[in-house]
Amino acid sequence: QSALTQPASVSGSPGQSITISCTGTSSDVGSYDYVSWYQQHPGRAPELMIYDVRNRPSGVSNRFSGSKSGNTASLTISGLQTEDEADYYCSSYTSTNTPWVFGGGTKLTVL
Amino acid sequence: EVQLVESGGGLVQSGGSLRLSCAASGFTFSRYWMHWVRQAPGKGLVWVSHINSEGSNTGYADSVKGRFTISRDNAKNTLYLQMNSLRAEDTAVYYCVRRGFPAALHWYFDLWGRGTLVTISS
């Protein structure tokens, strides 16, 4: 059981927008703006896409955006492209005994 | 080139030990907090351990506490993970990961290695 809850899968067509949710608790997502998102293509290492809820690292497309409301953070990908097909993981700082938690991951399929 | 390269993975029997290494290059390794994150086959990411830039502060997931030890050698730009009393559930790809700098302001992982596979046979 992952500490953060993500949908197992989402899908969309090229050009469309999709949103992946990441639900935590008041011990993590709800109390800290330290949510990050990672993209992982099959057989590859994860790559940072969003940090501190809504910030993009240099080099990441502005089609990727993040937000948060209450205990739920979201990753939105607009103008879907075939290369966006990958697994996406959220992560957050947590005030529990383990300082870092991840979501279970969401498989994005671009139809 | 800024990169992290893990090594030391392999097949070990349950109860055995392994030592993973992670060679850092292209950045000032001694400034950064470093972590190990693992991913079991077909599963999600799980945080394992962290160490501060000086090597004086460490932390572990409950599942590995008392069995794994993280360390670093800043002179050699290398991170380590000593894994003892290995169990089948420790089977995973282990990633060496860099935390954003400065650590006090950055709670995310901005650089990942390609990982090393650890397989525990029962």
Side-chain angles (χ1 to χ4, degrees), chain A residues 65-78:
Chain A
S65 63
S67 63
K68 191 186 84 167
S69 177
N71 293 339
T72 299
S74 298
L75 173 70
T76 297
I77 309 173
S78 59

Side-chain angles (χ1 to χ4, degrees), chain B:
Chain B
E1 181 184 2
V2 176
Q3 64 177 355
L4 299 168
V5 179
E6 302 93 336
S7 61
L11 176 62
V12 179
Q13 284 193 327
S14 180
S17 298
L18 270 180
R19 188 196 199 198
L20 305 184
S21 298
C22 169
S25 60
F27 65 98
T28 306
F29 177 72
S30 60
R31 291 185 179 179
Y32 290 84
W33 284 55
M34 298 297 296
H35 300 250
W36 289 97
V37 173
R38 70 185 181 184
Q39 185 172 35
K43 302 297 184 180
L45 302 170
V46 176
W47 177 80
V48 173
S49 180
H50 70 209
I51 187 167
N52 69 344
S53 55
E54 298 87 1
S56 58
N57 182 328
T58 60
Y60 301 92
D62 287 344
S63 58
V64 306
K65 200 172 293 184
R67 300 187 299 122
F68 289 12
T69 302
I70 191 172
S71 62
R72 65 191 297 161
D73 185 335
N74 285 341
K76 295 183 178 180
N77 293 333
T78 304
L79 176 72
Y80 302 101
L81 186 67
Q82 178 66 44
M83 305 186 296
N84 299 330
S85 303
L86 284 162
R87 307 166 180 167
E89 54 264 36
D90 295 319
T91 294
V93 173
Y94 285 73
Y95 293 103
C96 171
V97 186
R98 186 182 79 175
R99 178 175 167 182
F101 176 82
L105 299 178
H106 297 291
W107 289 85
Y108 55 83
F109 304 121
D110 66 349
L111 180 66
W112 296 65
R114 299 186 68 174
T116 187
L117 177 62
V118 172
T119 304
I120 311 303
S121 64
S122 53

Side-chain angles (χ1 to χ4, degrees), chain A:
Chain A
Q1 187 84 18
S2 298
L4 304 178
T5 300
Q6 299 180 232
S9 63
V10 298
S11 62
S13 300
Q16 288 186 333
S17 295
I18 63 93
T19 297
I20 299 172
S21 62
C22 170
T23 301
T25 69
S26 58
S27 296
D28 39 66
V29 175
S31 294
Y32 305 97
D33 286 341
Y34 294 138
V35 177
S36 51
W37 290 89
Y38 304 87
Q39 176 192 66
Q40 185 179 35
H41 287 105
R44 303 287 297 274
E47 179 184 351
L48 178 67
M49 305 303 287
I50 295 286
Y51 67 94
D52 294 349
V53 175
R54 64 187 75 252
N55 296 316
R56 280 189 312 277
S58 175
V60 173
S61 170
N62 59 10
R63 298 185 298 104
F64 291 82
S65 63
S67 63
K68 191 186 84 167
S69 177
N71 293 339
T72 299
S74 298
L75 173 70
T76 297
I77 309 173
S78 59
L80 271 178
Q81 299 180 1
T82 55
E83 56 261 38
D84 299 332
E85 187 163 291
D87 293 327
Y88 292 85
Y89 294 90
C90 62
S91 179
S92 174
Y93 167 79
T94 171
S95 58
T96 62
N97 59 335
T98 300
W100 300 86
V101 289
F102 285 94
T106 298
K107 181 176 180 59
L108 168 62
T109 301
V110 181
L111 304 171

